[in-house]
mmCIF file of all heavy atoms in Angstrom:
data_model
loop_
_atom_site.group_PDB
_atom_site.id
_atom_site.type_symbol
_atom_site.label_atom_id
_atom_site.label_comp_id
_atom_site.label_asym_id
_atom_site.label_seq_id
_atom_site.Cartn_x
_atom_site.Cartn_y
_atom_site.Cartn_z
ATOM 1 N N PRO A 50 8.764 -3.102 -7.441
ATOM 2 C CA PRO A 50 7.915 -3.018 -6.252
ATOM 3 C C PRO A 50 8.678 -2.414 -5.070
ATOM 4 O O PRO A 50 8.041 -1.696 -4.273
ATOM 5 C CB PRO A 50 7.561 -4.469 -6.000
ATOM 6 C CG PRO A 50 8.416 -5.303 -6.833
ATOM 7 C CD PRO A 50 8.877 -4.455 -7.965
ATOM 8 N N ASP A 51 9.993 -2.629 -4.996
ATOM 9 C CA ASP A 51 10.761 -2.099 -3.806
ATOM 10 C C ASP A 51 10.736 -0.547 -3.833
ATOM 11 O O ASP A 51 10.766 0.081 -2.747
ATOM 12 C CB ASP A 51 12.180 -2.632 -3.802
ATOM 13 C CG ASP A 51 12.162 -4.128 -3.562
ATOM 14 O OD1 ASP A 51 11.160 -4.651 -3.129
ATOM 15 O OD2 ASP A 51 13.222 -4.751 -3.798
ATOM 16 N N VAL A 52 10.782 0.042 -5.015
ATOM 17 C CA VAL A 52 10.772 1.544 -5.093
ATOM 18 C C VAL A 52 9.434 2.041 -4.548
ATOM 19 O O VAL A 52 9.373 2.959 -3.722
ATOM 20 C CB VAL A 52 10.976 1.985 -6.563
ATOM 21 C CG1 VAL A 52 10.757 3.508 -6.682
ATOM 22 C CG2 VAL A 52 12.344 1.584 -7.062
ATOM 23 N N ILE A 53 8.333 1.368 -4.940
ATOM 24 C CA ILE A 53 7.033 1.836 -4.486
ATOM 25 C C ILE A 53 6.849 1.561 -2.994
ATOM 26 O O ILE A 53 6.390 2.396 -2.261
ATOM 27 C CB ILE A 53 5.940 1.085 -5.321
ATOM 28 C CG1 ILE A 53 6.077 1.490 -6.804
ATOM 29 C CG2 ILE A 53 4.546 1.376 -4.755
ATOM 30 C CD1 ILE A 53 5.158 0.670 -7.710
ATOM 31 N N GLY A 54 7.387 0.396 -2.551
ATOM 32 C CA GLY A 54 7.324 0.048 -1.139
ATOM 33 C C GLY A 54 8.049 1.093 -0.272
ATOM 34 O O GLY A 54 7.652 1.383 0.838
ATOM 35 N N ALA A 55 9.133 1.651 -0.829
ATOM 36 C CA ALA A 55 9.891 2.655 -0.075
ATOM 37 C C ALA A 55 9.123 3.919 0.125
ATOM 38 O O ALA A 55 9.332 4.636 1.148
ATOM 39 C CB ALA A 55 11.234 2.927 -0.776
ATOM 40 N N VAL A 56 8.258 4.256 -0.833
ATOM 41 C CA VAL A 56 7.477 5.507 -0.755
ATOM 42 C C VAL A 56 6.203 5.270 0.081
ATOM 43 O O VAL A 56 5.760 6.200 0.740
ATOM 44 C CB VAL A 56 7.109 5.981 -2.179
ATOM 45 C CG1 VAL A 56 6.238 7.229 -2.121
ATOM 46 C CG2 VAL A 56 8.392 6.226 -2.982
ATOM 47 N N ARG A 57 5.696 4.090 0.110
ATOM 48 C CA ARG A 57 4.430 3.760 0.743
ATOM 49 C C ARG A 57 4.255 4.409 2.133
ATOM 50 O O ARG A 57 3.244 5.032 2.455
ATOM 51 C CB ARG A 57 4.230 2.240 0.809
ATOM 52 C CG ARG A 57 2.926 1.747 1.482
ATOM 53 C CD ARG A 57 1.657 2.082 0.725
ATOM 54 N NE ARG A 57 1.209 3.399 0.958
ATOM 55 C CZ ARG A 57 0.149 3.966 0.420
ATOM 56 N NH1 ARG A 57 -0.517 3.351 -0.482
ATOM 57 N NH2 ARG A 57 -0.207 5.211 0.706
ATOM 58 N N PRO A 58 5.254 4.277 3.040
ATOM 59 C CA PRO A 58 5.020 4.780 4.431
ATOM 60 C C PRO A 58 4.893 6.284 4.508
ATOM 61 O O PRO A 58 4.457 6.819 5.528
ATOM 62 C CB PRO A 58 6.276 4.285 5.202
ATOM 63 C CG PRO A 58 6.940 3.291 4.337
ATOM 64 C CD PRO A 58 6.565 3.605 2.949
ATOM 65 N N HIS A 59 5.298 6.991 3.432
ATOM 66 C CA HIS A 59 5.362 8.469 3.517
ATOM 67 C C HIS A 59 3.977 9.126 3.366
ATOM 68 O O HIS A 59 3.819 10.313 3.737
ATOM 69 C CB HIS A 59 6.325 9.021 2.494
ATOM 70 C CG HIS A 59 7.742 8.637 2.737
ATOM 71 N ND1 HIS A 59 8.583 9.408 3.570
ATOM 72 C CD2 HIS A 59 8.486 7.552 2.351
ATOM 73 C CE1 HIS A 59 9.772 8.799 3.648
ATOM 74 N NE2 HIS A 59 9.721 7.707 2.903
ATOM 75 N N VAL A 60 3.031 8.395 2.776
ATOM 76 C CA VAL A 60 1.740 8.993 2.540
ATOM 77 C C VAL A 60 0.590 7.943 2.809
ATOM 78 O O VAL A 60 0.900 6.760 2.823
ATOM 79 C CB VAL A 60 1.563 9.493 1.065
ATOM 80 C CG1 VAL A 60 2.418 10.714 0.813
ATOM 81 C CG2 VAL A 60 1.883 8.387 0.086
ATOM 82 N N SER A 61 -0.582 8.401 2.970
ATOM 83 C CA SER A 61 -1.719 7.479 3.235
ATOM 84 C C SER A 61 -2.607 7.345 1.999
ATOM 85 O O SER A 61 -3.476 6.447 1.954
ATOM 86 C CB SER A 61 -2.554 7.954 4.447
ATOM 87 O OG SER A 61 -2.938 9.309 4.199
ATOM 88 N N VAL A 62 -2.413 8.187 1.037
ATOM 89 C CA VAL A 62 -3.287 8.125 -0.146
ATOM 90 C C VAL A 62 -3.101 6.773 -0.862
ATOM 91 O O VAL A 62 -1.957 6.257 -0.889
ATOM 92 C CB VAL A 62 -2.930 9.318 -1.099
ATOM 93 C CG1 VAL A 62 -1.546 9.207 -1.682
ATOM 94 C CG2 VAL A 62 -3.993 9.506 -2.157
ATOM 95 N N PRO A 63 -4.154 6.139 -1.413
ATOM 96 C CA PRO A 63 -3.984 4.846 -2.069
ATOM 97 C C PRO A 63 -3.037 4.899 -3.264
ATOM 98 O O PRO A 63 -2.925 5.940 -3.938
ATOM 99 C CB PRO A 63 -5.415 4.470 -2.517
ATOM 100 C CG PRO A 63 -6.281 5.291 -1.635
ATOM 101 C CD PRO A 63 -5.573 6.593 -1.353
ATOM 102 N N PHE A 64 -2.389 3.798 -3.530
ATOM 103 C CA PHE A 64 -1.525 3.633 -4.720
ATOM 104 C C PHE A 64 -2.193 2.698 -5.694
ATOM 105 O O PHE A 64 -2.924 1.771 -5.310
ATOM 106 C CB PHE A 64 -0.182 3.033 -4.335
ATOM 107 C CG PHE A 64 0.769 3.954 -3.595
ATOM 108 C CD1 PHE A 64 1.987 3.423 -3.141
ATOM 109 C CD2 PHE A 64 0.484 5.279 -3.415
ATOM 110 C CE1 PHE A 64 2.942 4.251 -2.472
ATOM 111 C CE2 PHE A 64 1.397 6.079 -2.765
ATOM 112 C CZ PHE A 64 2.602 5.581 -2.270
ATOM 113 N N GLU A 65 -1.940 2.947 -7.017
ATOM 114 C CA GLU A 65 -2.328 2.008 -8.021
ATOM 115 C C GLU A 65 -1.117 1.685 -8.910
ATOM 116 O O GLU A 65 -0.334 2.594 -9.191
ATOM 117 C CB GLU A 65 -3.500 2.470 -8.844
ATOM 118 C CG GLU A 65 -3.311 3.711 -9.623
ATOM 119 C CD GLU A 65 -4.590 4.065 -10.421
ATOM 120 O OE1 GLU A 65 -5.688 4.064 -9.866
ATOM 121 O OE2 GLU A 65 -4.429 4.409 -11.638
ATOM 122 N N ALA A 66 -0.962 0.447 -9.268
ATOM 123 C CA ALA A 66 0.151 0.023 -10.136
ATOM 124 C C ALA A 66 -0.368 -0.214 -11.546
ATOM 125 O O ALA A 66 -1.173 -1.165 -11.748
ATOM 126 C CB ALA A 66 0.854 -1.209 -9.602
ATOM 127 N N HIS A 67 0.014 0.593 -12.480
ATOM 128 C CA HIS A 67 -0.409 0.441 -13.894
ATOM 129 C C HIS A 67 0.663 -0.472 -14.512
ATOM 130 O O HIS A 67 1.750 -0.002 -14.883
ATOM 131 C CB HIS A 67 -0.476 1.813 -14.571
ATOM 132 C CG HIS A 67 -0.765 1.753 -16.020
ATOM 133 N ND1 HIS A 67 -0.721 2.891 -16.830
ATOM 134 C CD2 HIS A 67 -1.151 0.756 -16.846
ATOM 135 C CE1 HIS A 67 -1.046 2.571 -18.073
ATOM 136 N NE2 HIS A 67 -1.327 1.288 -18.144
ATOM 137 N N LEU A 68 0.313 -1.761 -14.655
ATOM 138 C CA LEU A 68 1.346 -2.726 -15.078
ATOM 139 C C LEU A 68 1.458 -2.764 -16.628
ATOM 140 O O LEU A 68 0.718 -3.441 -17.294
ATOM 141 C CB LEU A 68 1.007 -4.121 -14.524
ATOM 142 C CG LEU A 68 0.984 -4.237 -13.000
ATOM 143 C CD1 LEU A 68 0.691 -5.694 -12.609
ATOM 144 C CD2 LEU A 68 2.259 -3.772 -12.384
ATOM 145 N N MET A 69 2.424 -2.016 -17.115
ATOM 146 C CA MET A 69 2.746 -2.083 -18.552
ATOM 147 C C MET A 69 3.901 -3.040 -18.685
ATOM 148 O O MET A 69 5.021 -2.702 -19.001
ATOM 149 C CB MET A 69 3.099 -0.694 -19.030
ATOM 150 C CG MET A 69 1.869 0.229 -19.097
ATOM 151 S SD MET A 69 2.248 1.977 -19.294
ATOM 152 C CE MET A 69 2.537 2.416 -17.586
ATOM 153 N N VAL A 70 3.589 -4.334 -18.417
ATOM 154 C CA VAL A 70 4.587 -5.383 -18.383
ATOM 155 C C VAL A 70 4.012 -6.629 -19.068
ATOM 156 O O VAL A 70 2.798 -6.885 -18.987
ATOM 157 C CB VAL A 70 4.959 -5.764 -16.926
ATOM 158 C CG1 VAL A 70 5.516 -4.516 -16.168
ATOM 159 C CG2 VAL A 70 3.834 -6.384 -16.157
ATOM 160 N N ASN A 71 4.899 -7.396 -19.709
ATOM 161 C CA ASN A 71 4.444 -8.665 -20.254
ATOM 162 C C ASN A 71 4.308 -9.713 -19.165
ATOM 163 O O ASN A 71 5.044 -9.683 -18.154
ATOM 164 C CB ASN A 71 5.450 -9.167 -21.306
ATOM 165 C CG ASN A 71 5.223 -8.517 -22.689
ATOM 166 O OD1 ASN A 71 4.114 -8.207 -23.068
ATOM 167 N ND2 ASN A 71 6.285 -8.279 -23.419
ATOM 168 N N ASN A 72 3.312 -10.585 -19.297
ATOM 169 C CA ASN A 72 3.129 -11.705 -18.364
ATOM 170 C C ASN A 72 3.130 -11.235 -16.887
ATOM 171 O O ASN A 72 3.995 -11.584 -16.130
ATOM 172 C CB ASN A 72 4.250 -12.735 -18.543
ATOM 173 C CG ASN A 72 4.288 -13.180 -19.999
ATOM 174 O OD1 ASN A 72 3.271 -13.481 -20.588
ATOM 175 N ND2 ASN A 72 5.503 -13.172 -20.587
ATOM 176 N N PRO A 73 2.160 -10.417 -16.536
ATOM 177 C CA PRO A 73 2.099 -9.798 -15.189
ATOM 178 C C PRO A 73 1.809 -10.748 -14.048
ATOM 179 O O PRO A 73 2.045 -10.392 -12.875
ATOM 180 C CB PRO A 73 0.980 -8.800 -15.302
ATOM 181 C CG PRO A 73 0.079 -9.302 -16.371
ATOM 182 C CD PRO A 73 0.969 -10.035 -17.365
ATOM 183 N N ASP A 74 1.391 -11.959 -14.311
ATOM 184 C CA ASP A 74 0.970 -12.882 -13.230
ATOM 185 C C ASP A 74 2.008 -13.030 -12.108
ATOM 186 O O ASP A 74 1.665 -13.024 -10.968
ATOM 187 C CB ASP A 74 0.627 -14.253 -13.778
ATOM 188 C CG ASP A 74 -0.673 -14.217 -14.614
ATOM 189 O OD1 ASP A 74 -0.634 -13.541 -15.680
ATOM 190 O OD2 ASP A 74 -1.684 -14.763 -14.197
ATOM 191 N N GLU A 75 3.276 -13.184 -12.516
ATOM 192 C CA GLU A 75 4.296 -13.462 -11.508
ATOM 193 C C GLU A 75 4.577 -12.219 -10.694
ATOM 194 O O GLU A 75 4.786 -12.280 -9.470
ATOM 195 C CB GLU A 75 5.586 -13.953 -12.214
ATOM 196 C CG GLU A 75 6.574 -14.571 -11.279
ATOM 197 C CD GLU A 75 7.743 -15.224 -12.040
ATOM 198 O OE1 GLU A 75 7.567 -15.651 -13.197
ATOM 199 O OE2 GLU A 75 8.850 -15.269 -11.478
ATOM 200 N N LEU A 76 4.581 -11.042 -11.368
ATOM 201 C CA LEU A 76 5.005 -9.834 -10.662
ATOM 202 C C LEU A 76 3.859 -9.238 -9.818
ATOM 203 O O LEU A 76 4.114 -8.645 -8.749
ATOM 204 C CB LEU A 76 5.387 -8.795 -11.701
ATOM 205 C CG LEU A 76 6.856 -8.549 -12.032
ATOM 206 C CD1 LEU A 76 7.043 -7.523 -13.095
ATOM 207 C CD2 LEU A 76 7.631 -8.159 -10.792
ATOM 208 N N LEU A 77 2.610 -9.406 -10.190
ATOM 209 C CA LEU A 77 1.564 -8.594 -9.546
ATOM 210 C C LEU A 77 1.394 -8.773 -8.059
ATOM 211 O O LEU A 77 1.150 -7.794 -7.357
ATOM 212 C CB LEU A 77 0.235 -8.736 -10.307
ATOM 213 C CG LEU A 77 -0.584 -10.037 -10.261
ATOM 214 C CD1 LEU A 77 -1.514 -10.065 -9.112
ATOM 215 C CD2 LEU A 77 -1.330 -10.214 -11.569
ATOM 216 N N PRO A 78 1.615 -9.976 -7.482
ATOM 217 C CA PRO A 78 1.503 -10.067 -6.030
ATOM 218 C C PRO A 78 2.498 -9.148 -5.303
ATOM 219 O O PRO A 78 2.205 -8.611 -4.258
ATOM 220 C CB PRO A 78 1.800 -11.542 -5.736
ATOM 221 C CG PRO A 78 1.653 -12.261 -7.004
ATOM 222 C CD PRO A 78 1.922 -11.299 -8.123
ATOM 223 N N ARG A 79 3.693 -8.941 -5.933
ATOM 224 C CA ARG A 79 4.699 -8.095 -5.249
ATOM 225 C C ARG A 79 4.270 -6.645 -5.209
ATOM 226 O O ARG A 79 4.656 -5.856 -4.329
ATOM 227 C CB ARG A 79 6.041 -8.285 -5.959
ATOM 228 C CG ARG A 79 6.551 -9.698 -5.806
ATOM 229 C CD ARG A 79 8.007 -9.846 -6.317
ATOM 230 N NE ARG A 79 8.889 -8.853 -5.676
ATOM 231 C CZ ARG A 79 9.953 -8.436 -6.293
ATOM 232 N NH1 ARG A 79 10.341 -8.913 -7.440
ATOM 233 N NH2 ARG A 79 10.752 -7.531 -5.679
ATOM 234 N N TYR A 80 3.439 -6.223 -6.203
ATOM 235 C CA TYR A 80 3.009 -4.809 -6.179
ATOM 236 C C TYR A 80 1.886 -4.643 -5.171
ATOM 237 O O TYR A 80 1.769 -3.566 -4.492
ATOM 238 C CB TYR A 80 2.570 -4.359 -7.588
ATOM 239 C CG TYR A 80 3.789 -4.074 -8.448
ATOM 240 C CD1 TYR A 80 4.345 -5.056 -9.238
ATOM 241 C CD2 TYR A 80 4.428 -2.862 -8.371
ATOM 242 C CE1 TYR A 80 5.494 -4.837 -9.988
ATOM 243 C CE2 TYR A 80 5.548 -2.615 -9.130
ATOM 244 C CZ TYR A 80 6.054 -3.590 -9.885
ATOM 245 O OH TYR A 80 7.230 -3.385 -10.612
ATOM 246 N N VAL A 81 1.097 -5.680 -4.942
ATOM 247 C CA VAL A 81 0.092 -5.586 -3.859
ATOM 248 C C VAL A 81 0.824 -5.551 -2.509
ATOM 249 O O VAL A 81 0.546 -4.715 -1.650
ATOM 250 C CB VAL A 81 -0.867 -6.794 -3.902
ATOM 251 C CG1 VAL A 81 -1.805 -6.796 -2.738
ATOM 252 C CG2 VAL A 81 -1.618 -6.867 -5.224
ATOM 253 N N GLU A 82 1.849 -6.439 -2.348
ATOM 254 C CA GLU A 82 2.596 -6.481 -1.099
ATOM 255 C C GLU A 82 3.325 -5.108 -0.885
ATOM 256 O O GLU A 82 3.499 -4.669 0.291
ATOM 257 C CB GLU A 82 3.665 -7.587 -1.145
ATOM 258 C CG GLU A 82 3.067 -9.012 -1.041
ATOM 259 C CD GLU A 82 3.981 -10.066 -1.667
ATOM 260 O OE1 GLU A 82 5.193 -9.768 -1.823
ATOM 261 O OE2 GLU A 82 3.448 -11.104 -2.035
ATOM 262 N N ALA A 83 3.714 -4.422 -1.933
ATOM 263 C CA ALA A 83 4.447 -3.149 -1.844
ATOM 264 C C ALA A 83 3.493 -2.021 -1.413
ATOM 265 O O ALA A 83 3.950 -0.923 -1.108
ATOM 266 C CB ALA A 83 5.082 -2.812 -3.169
ATOM 267 N N GLY A 84 2.170 -2.300 -1.410
ATOM 268 C CA GLY A 84 1.216 -1.280 -0.955
ATOM 269 C C GLY A 84 0.328 -0.703 -2.049
ATOM 270 O O GLY A 84 -0.275 0.357 -1.815
ATOM 271 N N CYS A 85 0.245 -1.337 -3.222
ATOM 272 C CA CYS A 85 -0.628 -0.886 -4.248
ATOM 273 C C CYS A 85 -2.008 -1.540 -4.057
ATOM 274 O O CYS A 85 -2.117 -2.783 -4.171
ATOM 275 C CB CYS A 85 -0.105 -1.198 -5.632
ATOM 276 S SG CYS A 85 1.441 -0.341 -6.010
ATOM 277 N N GLU A 86 -3.030 -0.702 -3.736
ATOM 278 C CA GLU A 86 -4.361 -1.211 -3.550
ATOM 279 C C GLU A 86 -4.990 -1.649 -4.851
ATOM 280 O O GLU A 86 -5.696 -2.664 -4.933
ATOM 281 C CB GLU A 86 -5.252 -0.086 -2.901
ATOM 282 C CG GLU A 86 -6.679 -0.492 -2.667
ATOM 283 C CD GLU A 86 -7.474 0.689 -2.011
ATOM 284 O OE1 GLU A 86 -6.808 1.625 -1.482
ATOM 285 O OE2 GLU A 86 -8.699 0.658 -2.091
ATOM 286 N N TRP A 87 -4.718 -0.947 -5.914
ATOM 287 C CA TRP A 87 -5.230 -1.231 -7.267
ATOM 288 C C TRP A 87 -4.151 -1.826 -8.157
ATOM 289 O O TRP A 87 -3.014 -1.293 -8.106
ATOM 290 C CB TRP A 87 -5.756 0.085 -7.896
ATOM 291 C CG TRP A 87 -6.950 0.683 -7.244
ATOM 292 C CD1 TRP A 87 -6.987 1.443 -6.129
ATOM 293 C CD2 TRP A 87 -8.302 0.558 -7.640
ATOM 294 N NE1 TRP A 87 -8.261 1.840 -5.830
ATOM 295 C CE2 TRP A 87 -9.126 1.268 -6.754
ATOM 296 C CE3 TRP A 87 -8.934 -0.114 -8.734
ATOM 297 C CZ2 TRP A 87 -10.477 1.394 -6.885
ATOM 298 C CZ3 TRP A 87 -10.323 0.020 -8.846
ATOM 299 C CH2 TRP A 87 -11.090 0.762 -7.932
ATOM 300 N N ILE A 88 -4.486 -2.797 -8.954
ATOM 301 C CA ILE A 88 -3.578 -3.355 -9.943
ATOM 302 C C ILE A 88 -4.270 -3.290 -11.312
ATOM 303 O O ILE A 88 -5.349 -3.841 -11.505
ATOM 304 C CB ILE A 88 -3.222 -4.832 -9.625
ATOM 305 C CG1 ILE A 88 -2.601 -4.940 -8.214
ATOM 306 C CG2 ILE A 88 -2.319 -5.401 -10.708
ATOM 307 C CD1 ILE A 88 -1.222 -4.307 -8.044
ATOM 308 N N LEU A 89 -3.624 -2.534 -12.243
ATOM 309 C CA LEU A 89 -4.161 -2.349 -13.554
ATOM 310 C C LEU A 89 -3.432 -3.263 -14.523
ATOM 311 O O LEU A 89 -2.232 -3.086 -14.717
ATOM 312 C CB LEU A 89 -4.077 -0.876 -13.981
ATOM 313 C CG LEU A 89 -4.984 0.131 -13.335
ATOM 314 C CD1 LEU A 89 -4.726 0.271 -11.837
ATOM 315 C CD2 LEU A 89 -4.775 1.500 -13.967
ATOM 316 N N VAL A 90 -4.168 -4.182 -15.143
ATOM 317 C CA VAL A 90 -3.583 -5.197 -16.022
ATOM 318 C C VAL A 90 -3.996 -4.890 -17.449
ATOM 319 O O VAL A 90 -5.170 -4.728 -17.783
ATOM 320 C CB VAL A 90 -4.087 -6.609 -15.641
ATOM 321 C CG1 VAL A 90 -3.612 -7.635 -16.686
ATOM 322 C CG2 VAL A 90 -3.572 -6.984 -14.262
ATOM 323 N N HIS A 91 -3.055 -4.835 -18.390
ATOM 324 C CA HIS A 91 -3.328 -4.610 -19.785
ATOM 325 C C HIS A 91 -3.904 -5.898 -20.409
ATOM 326 O O HIS A 91 -3.302 -6.997 -20.306
ATOM 327 C CB HIS A 91 -2.117 -4.150 -20.542
ATOM 328 C CG HIS A 91 -1.962 -2.652 -20.614
ATOM 329 N ND1 HIS A 91 -2.464 -1.924 -21.649
ATOM 330 C CD2 HIS A 91 -1.464 -1.773 -19.694
ATOM 331 C CE1 HIS A 91 -2.236 -0.635 -21.435
ATOM 332 N NE2 HIS A 91 -1.635 -0.529 -20.233
ATOM 333 N N ALA A 92 -5.011 -5.741 -21.132
ATOM 334 C CA ALA A 92 -5.604 -6.884 -21.797
ATOM 335 C C ALA A 92 -4.625 -7.550 -22.807
ATOM 336 O O ALA A 92 -4.702 -8.761 -23.006
ATOM 337 C CB ALA A 92 -6.888 -6.425 -22.548
ATOM 338 N N GLU A 93 -3.708 -6.753 -23.287
ATOM 339 C CA GLU A 93 -2.767 -7.232 -24.304
ATOM 340 C C GLU A 93 -1.535 -7.937 -23.708
ATOM 341 O O GLU A 93 -0.689 -8.410 -24.442
ATOM 342 C CB GLU A 93 -2.305 -6.050 -25.166
ATOM 343 C CG GLU A 93 -3.427 -5.143 -25.723
ATOM 344 C CD GLU A 93 -3.814 -4.063 -24.767
ATOM 345 O OE1 GLU A 93 -3.279 -4.039 -23.620
ATOM 346 O OE2 GLU A 93 -4.701 -3.270 -25.109
ATOM 347 N N SER A 94 -1.428 -7.904 -22.363
ATOM 348 C CA SER A 94 -0.192 -8.351 -21.749
ATOM 349 C C SER A 94 -0.217 -9.817 -21.267
ATOM 350 O O SER A 94 0.813 -10.293 -20.729
ATOM 351 C CB SER A 94 0.144 -7.432 -20.562
ATOM 352 O OG SER A 94 -0.829 -7.649 -19.480
ATOM 353 N N THR A 95 -1.405 -10.453 -21.353
ATOM 354 C CA THR A 95 -1.474 -11.788 -20.818
ATOM 355 C C THR A 95 -2.345 -12.694 -21.722
ATOM 356 O O THR A 95 -3.362 -12.164 -22.262
ATOM 357 C CB THR A 95 -2.040 -11.831 -19.397
ATOM 358 O OG1 THR A 95 -2.378 -13.159 -18.993
ATOM 359 C CG2 THR A 95 -3.302 -10.979 -19.286
ATOM 360 N N LEU A 96 -1.978 -13.910 -21.910
ATOM 361 C CA LEU A 96 -2.743 -14.796 -22.774
ATOM 362 C C LEU A 96 -4.129 -15.150 -22.134
ATOM 363 O O LEU A 96 -5.119 -15.296 -22.817
ATOM 364 C CB LEU A 96 -1.946 -16.106 -22.948
ATOM 365 C CG LEU A 96 -2.273 -16.968 -24.213
ATOM 366 C CD1 LEU A 96 -2.159 -16.100 -25.469
ATOM 367 C CD2 LEU A 96 -1.321 -18.151 -24.238
ATOM 368 N N HIS A 97 -4.103 -15.156 -20.759
ATOM 369 C CA HIS A 97 -5.334 -15.554 -20.053
ATOM 370 C C HIS A 97 -5.786 -14.402 -19.145
ATOM 371 O O HIS A 97 -5.580 -14.458 -17.904
ATOM 372 C CB HIS A 97 -5.054 -16.835 -19.263
ATOM 373 C CG HIS A 97 -4.610 -17.971 -20.106
ATOM 374 N ND1 HIS A 97 -5.479 -18.626 -20.974
ATOM 375 C CD2 HIS A 97 -3.371 -18.543 -20.282
ATOM 376 C CE1 HIS A 97 -4.838 -19.572 -21.604
ATOM 377 N NE2 HIS A 97 -3.545 -19.546 -21.252
ATOM 378 N N LEU A 98 -6.385 -13.369 -19.776
ATOM 379 C CA LEU A 98 -6.730 -12.177 -19.016
ATOM 380 C C LEU A 98 -7.679 -12.497 -17.871
ATOM 381 O O LEU A 98 -7.551 -11.922 -16.785
ATOM 382 C CB LEU A 98 -7.386 -11.133 -19.973
ATOM 383 C CG LEU A 98 -7.903 -9.849 -19.319
ATOM 384 C CD1 LEU A 98 -6.734 -9.062 -18.694
ATOM 385 C CD2 LEU A 98 -8.557 -9.001 -20.423
#
Side-chain angles (χ1 to χ4, degrees):
D51 293 347
V52 172
I53 298 171
V56 177
R57 179 67 279 175
H59 293 273
V60 291
S61 55
V62 67
F64 286 175
E65 62 179 46
H67 176 188
L68 298 184
M69 290 166 275
V70 303
N71 277 327
N72 306 313
D74 289 66
E75 194 172 332
L76 262 178
L77 70 89
R79 294 188 53 204
Y80 283 91
V81 176
E82 288 156 20
C85 295
E86 178 179 342
W87 293 81
I88 302 293
L89 288 64
V90 172
H91 268 267
E93 310 87 357
S94 68
T95 169
L96 202 55
H97 301 288
L98 177 60

